[in-house]
Amino acid sequence: MAAEPAPGGSTLWASLWALLPSGKASIEAAAAGLADQVEGSVASLLRQAAALVCGGEAERAARGAGREACLQLSERLCDYAWERLHVGPWREVGAEWRRVYAYGCLFKALCLCREPGAALEEALRACDLGLLLGAPVEDNILASMAEVLQRHLSCSGEPAAAGEQEGQPLKKKIRKDFPPSPAITTEAAVSRLRCPSLEHFQAHYLIPQKPVILEQIVDHWPCLRKWSVGYVRQVAGSRTVPVEVGSRYTDEEWSQSLMTVEDFISRYIENKLQNQTGYLAQHQLFDQIPELKADIGIPDYCCLGEGAEEDIAINAWFGPAGTVSPLHQDPQQNLLVQVMGQKYIRLYSPKESENLYPHESHILHNTSQVDVEAPDLVKFPKFKAASFQDCVLSPGQVLFIPVGYWHYVRSLDTSFSVSFWWS
């Protein structure tokens, strides 16, 4: 049980402090453990920040330190760790630096909430950055803190729209006229199946690796009744998430940016500007925002894989009409569940790879060079001979995409999909 918070702290700070597994002792022990794994200057910052965060008012005054000094130490910790997180490939980043970054974010969020009139949005952003870039610490306390802060923000009123936050009005809506989905012929249509047994799905689709649309298998999911743009804004509007800016990741102008869900909705869904598309493609969204995770489940068909349930990767895909995933392959089996809106999807067997002209670079070797709906047949003449299947995926439908199957996806309107990758 967490130690009692120091007198003088705000009610919010007290509720956040209570989330710590064992209060002051927990933080100080973690700081001491990390001090043995990082350079001396960073270890000193850890100890100082931990002491200021955990100390009572008398101790803080004796050290001549207040809220600002505590924040400065926390930010210096984050800055040191940020540099280490970005010096090379992510897989080579040491776990200790991800933990340092998480503790820096934790200390910063606690400092921001220590006094009445807390900067809730700034504290929540610190929690989200720690969740996205750090490692879980203190029983994943940053996720628990983020839930508390989001509730407080929801009670205090709706967050300001992106343009209002910056003091600049957003431009008038200007939407592109997106083409309808191509006509789907009977011969090319993906097969549809209602609630097949696990044995039937395994024998007729999983083992032979054949795409199929599964119907009525997720009808019980609350998200199909609850989710809308407004609902996502309500439960996650203040949360900071990574957003892909650009209609497709192979475009030269494509980039990634961190912004709140509110900003994303305001800029790219409600006030989408000509030739600008943003897409929330998040591999951690459901861990970051448990309210959304509670509205979905893991389809039983995923249990036919070789891995454990915790090995199943759950991904969120939220964006406006016109967003495109270029023709590409994934290294795992995929169950793609459509929750909001519709998507046009075209599928090519791995046997067609020679006709699909994959990029030669290592980074994009799983992505075709061909623009599926506007192919350059002079440059890519074999593409015309490639046979395919296609479909329009609607809410409540689940598409099984076998491992290695090429697939192209275009959102026909504002869309939210959930995919399950499993081995």
Side-chain angles (χ1 to χ4, degrees):
M1 183 174 180
E4 289 296 319
S10 70
T11 303
L12 172 60
W13 185 86
S15 65
L16 296 175
W17 178 263
L19 295 172
L20 284 165
S22 55
K24 178 177 179 178
S26 178
I27 288 184
E28 290 183 334
L34 275 173
D36 296 333
Q37 303 175 45
V38 296
E39 58 201 54
S41 59
V42 178
S44 177
L45 286 177
L46 277 167
R47 286 191 291 267
Q48 292 177 58
L52 289 175
V53 169
C54 297
E57 297 301 317
E59 182 179 351
R60 284 154 55 86
R63 291 178 177 271
R67 178 174 177 271
E68 291 306 314
C70 188
L71 282 175
Q72 288 175 13
L73 284 172
S74 303
E75 289 172 352
R76 286 176 64 189
L77 273 175
C78 289
D79 289 344
Y80 270 116
W82 178 275
E83 292 181 4
R84 294 301 185 105
L85 295 178
H86 292 82
V87 295
W90 180 253
R91 63 181 179 275
E92 296 178 9
V93 174
E96 68 276 10
W97 288 107
R98 293 184 62 197
R99 292 178 64 210
V100 169
Y101 188 78
Y103 273 107
C105 292
L106 170 61
F107 296 156
K108 181 176 181 179
L110 285 171
C111 288
L112 288 167
C113 298
R114 179 81 184 229
E115 310 296 340
L120 299 188
E121 291 188 1
E122 190 177 351
L124 182 55
R125 177 177 170 81
C127 290
D128 281 327
L129 289 176
L131 288 168
L132 290 168
L133 298 175
V137 296
E138 305 292 338
D139 290 343
N140 205 20
I141 188 177
L142 289 173
S144 301
M145 287 176 59
E147 287 187 66
V148 173
L149 291 167
Q150 175 65 41
R151 285 198 298 270
H152 274 72
L153 279 166
S154 298
C155 292
S156 65
E158 291 292 325
E164 295 168 350
Q165 289 176 339
E166 299 169 359
Q168 296 292 332
L170 287 165
K171 295 180 182 179
K172 193 71 176 176
K173 285 184 183 179
I174 305 175
R175 291 192 177 275
K176 295 167 66 177
D177 292 327
F178 299 110
S181 64
I184 297 173
T185 65
T186 303
E187 297 77 15
V190 179
S191 300
R192 297 171 183 265
L193 206 57
R194 291 185 180 180
C195 293
S197 67
L198 295 180
E199 294 79 10
H200 184 87
F201 172 76
Q202 183 176 39
H204 296 279
Y205 296 96
L206 180 58
I207 293 176
Q209 293 286 276
K210 291 172 57 179
V212 64
I213 293 174
L214 304 174
E215 298 182 325
Q216 299 182 354
I217 70 168
V218 296
D219 286 359
H220 59 288
W221 283 12
C223 62
L224 292 170
R225 300 183 297 276
K226 294 168 61 177
W227 288 10
S228 64
V229 172
Y231 180 75
V232 174
R233 167 183 271 137
Q234 175 187 338
V235 301
S238 300
R239 306 303 298 272
T240 296
V241 294
V243 170
E244 298 180 359
V245 180
S247 62
R248 62 188 79 195
Y249 64 79
T250 50
D251 290 349
E252 289 185 6
E253 67 272 16
W254 182 88
S255 63
Q256 291 179 301
S257 178
L258 288 171
M259 66 181 68
T260 64
V261 172
E262 169 65 28
D263 285 352
F264 166 73
I265 290 173
S266 296
R267 295 177 186 181
Y268 298 110
I269 292 181
E270 293 182 340
N271 297 282
K272 191 166 137 355
L273 305 179
Q274 186 79 27
N275 297 323
Q276 291 190 10
T277 300
Y279 201 50
L280 197 166
Q282 241 274 45
H283 306 307
Q284 297 172 277
L285 187 71
F286 296 111
D287 291 329
Q288 191 180 352
I289 307 173
E291 294 94 333
L292 294 178
K293 190 173 186 178
D295 291 337
I296 65 172
I298 296 177
D300 291 341
Y301 302 92
C302 294
C303 77
L304 297 172
E306 298 176 353
E309 182 174 312
E310 55 266 25
D311 297 326
I312 298 169
I314 308 176
N315 310 300
W317 314 94
F318 179 35
T323 305
V324 169
S325 291
L327 188 61
H328 68 284
Q329 296 173 303
D330 293 323
Q332 292 181 292
Q333 317 283 5
N334 184 359
L335 285 177
L336 179 64
V337 184
Q338 192 65 17
V339 178
M340 289 167 45
Q342 292 185 314
K343 285 183 170 178
Y344 172 70
I345 303 173
R346 189 181 294 188
L347 300 153
Y348 293 84
S349 165
K351 297 177 182 178
E352 299 289 348
S353 295
E354 185 179 347
N355 295 327
L356 303 182
Y357 299 90
H359 282 271
E360 296 180 0
S361 68
H362 175 71
I363 294 177
L364 292 176
H365 70 280
N366 68 329
T367 303
S368 170
Q369 301 177 63
V370 183
D371 183 342
V372 166
E373 295 191 77
D376 182 344
L377 296 179
V378 174
K379 188 175 181 180
F380 308 114
K382 294 181 182 179
F383 181 73
K384 188 175 183 179
S387 60
F388 62 86
Q389 294 175 274
D390 60 356
C391 66
V392 171
L393 202 65
S394 298
Q397 296 180 338
V398 182
L399 175 63
F400 170 57
I401 305 175
V403 59
Y405 240 81
W406 294 88
H407 50 289
Y408 164 88
V409 184
R410 174 164 62 86
S411 297
L412 300 178
D413 41 31
T414 298
S415 168
F416 201 129
S417 308
V418 182
S419 65
F420 299 83
W421 290 348
W422 47 287
S423 299

